[in-house]
Amino acid sequence: MTGNTNVRSPLTSPEFLVFYGITGRGTLQQDELFRFMEGTGPQWWLPVSGMTREEFWRSRMHALVARSTIVRILEGGCRPSDRVTVNHVIRHGRRARPNRRPEFGFVDFLEVVRDSDGAVLADLTSHTVWVDFSSGTPKVAESPPSGLDCPLEDLPEIDPLPTLTTPVASSSFRWTPRECDVTNNHVSFPSYVERAENALADAGLALPERPVWQGWYRLEFRCDERTTVRICEEEDGGLLFGFCNEDERRARTFVRLSEAGP
C-alpha cells in the first residue's frame, strides 16, 4: 500500500467509478472518497467491538468527531465503470496536544487505486477524536471508551490551526440540510470544499489541476446558520478559506487549498 501512513492490515473493497463521481477534468470527485470510506469503515467495527459502529456509539455514549481532514486528488483520466480498489487503514490511539492533556481518537487513511495501471487516483487522511456525551454536555473524552479490542497507538499530531490574513474575496450563504451529516447535523467536509470551490469561481480564481484540500474544525456549523467564507492568499501560493459565523470575527473552520506535488 502506498501513502503516508504505517500499514495495518488494510480493509479493501473492489469498486467501480460512476458517472457522477468524476469531474469534467476526469479526476475523482473529492466526496467519492467519503462514500468509499462509508463502505470500508463499518467492516472494522464488528470484529473489534462485536457490534456495529452506531450500536457501539449508542451503548458507550461516545462518538467520533472530526479534527482535521486532508484530501489529495492525484491522477486524472478517470472514466465511468473503471475498476478501482479501495484500501483503508484505521489506527486507534492517543494524540499528543501542545500544553494540554492527550486526546484519544482515530486516524483513517484511505486510497483509491486504479486497477488497470496501479495509479493512486486520490487519497484521504481523517483525524478524529472521541467525544463523551454521557453527561449530556459533549466534551473531549479523557480516555477511549471500553470494549475496543485493538491496539492503542501513538497517533501523529495535527497541524496547528492556520491564521487568516486580509481576505482577497468573501461571500455569504446559509447551510442547507443536504450539507449536514445525519449523525450529529454537523456540516460535512465535502460541503466545506464545495462551498470553497464556489467562492473560488465567484472570485475568478483558478482551481489547481490536482487540488489538495486540508481542513481544520475549531467549532461546528449546523444547518441554516448564516456563514461568511473569506478567501486569503498564502505566501506559498496556496489559498486559505475561513468559514465564519456572521456575528463572529474568528473562523470556526479553516480549509486550505494547494496543489499536489510531483
Side-chain angles (χ1 to χ4, degrees), residues 18 20-23 27-38 71 73 110 122 124 178 188-191 193-194 197 213:
V18 294
Y20 63 79
I22 302 170
T23 71
T27 53
L28 201 63
Q29 296 270 17
Q30 54 89 20
D31 53 0
E32 283 295 273
L33 279 83
F34 294 89
R35 184 173 71 87
F36 290 146
M37 188 161 67
E38 278 299 297
V71 173
I73 306 300
L110 181 141
L124 162 68
R178 179 184 67 84
S188 65
F189 181 73
S191 300
V193 171
E194 183 177 354
E197 286 188 355
W213 296 98

Side-chain angles (χ1 to χ4, degrees), residues 154-218:
D154 289 323
L155 303 180
E157 292 185 31
I158 298 169
D159 293 339
L161 288 174
T163 301
L164 293 179
T165 56
T166 303
V168 298
S170 65
S171 60
S172 298
F173 58 90
R174 288 187 186 275
W175 297 107
T176 67
R178 179 184 67 84
E179 296 171 296
C180 302
D181 63 55
V182 69
T183 303
N184 52 26
N185 201 33
H186 290 180
V187 173
S188 65
F189 181 73
S191 300
Y192 289 113
V193 171
E194 183 177 354
R195 289 290 187 173
E197 286 188 355
N198 291 343
L200 201 67
D202 290 343
L205 300 171
L207 180 70
E209 288 289 334
R210 300 193 304 157
V212 175
W213 296 98
Q214 182 172 7
W216 296 260
Y217 319 98
R218 188 180 66 85

Side-chain angles (χ1 to χ4, degrees), residues 6 13 31 45 51 87 94 103 117 119 122 149 152 169-170 177 232:
N6 295 326
S13 175
D31 53 0
W45 290 89
M51 59 186 80
N87 298 315
R94 66 182 66 80
E103 64 183 20
D117 59 2
D149 184 17
L152 193 67
S170 65
C232 304

Side-chain angles (χ1 to χ4, degrees), residues 26 47 51-52 66 73 97 107 116 135 161 173 195 202 208 227 239-241 243 246 257 259:
M51 59 186 80
T52 69
I73 306 300
R97 294 186 293 172
V107 173
S116 62
S135 67
L161 288 174
F173 58 90
R195 289 290 187 173
D202 290 343
T227 303
L239 294 172
L240 183 64
F241 301 79
F243 291 82
E246 211 170 36
L257 171 63
E259 187 157 11

Side-chain angles (χ1 to χ4, degrees), residues 136-161:
T137 301
K139 61 181 181 180
V140 174
E142 296 183 356
S143 62
S146 61
L148 289 176
D149 184 17
C150 64
L152 193 67
E153 306 181 45
D154 289 323
L155 303 180
E157 292 185 31
I158 298 169
D159 293 339
L161 288 174

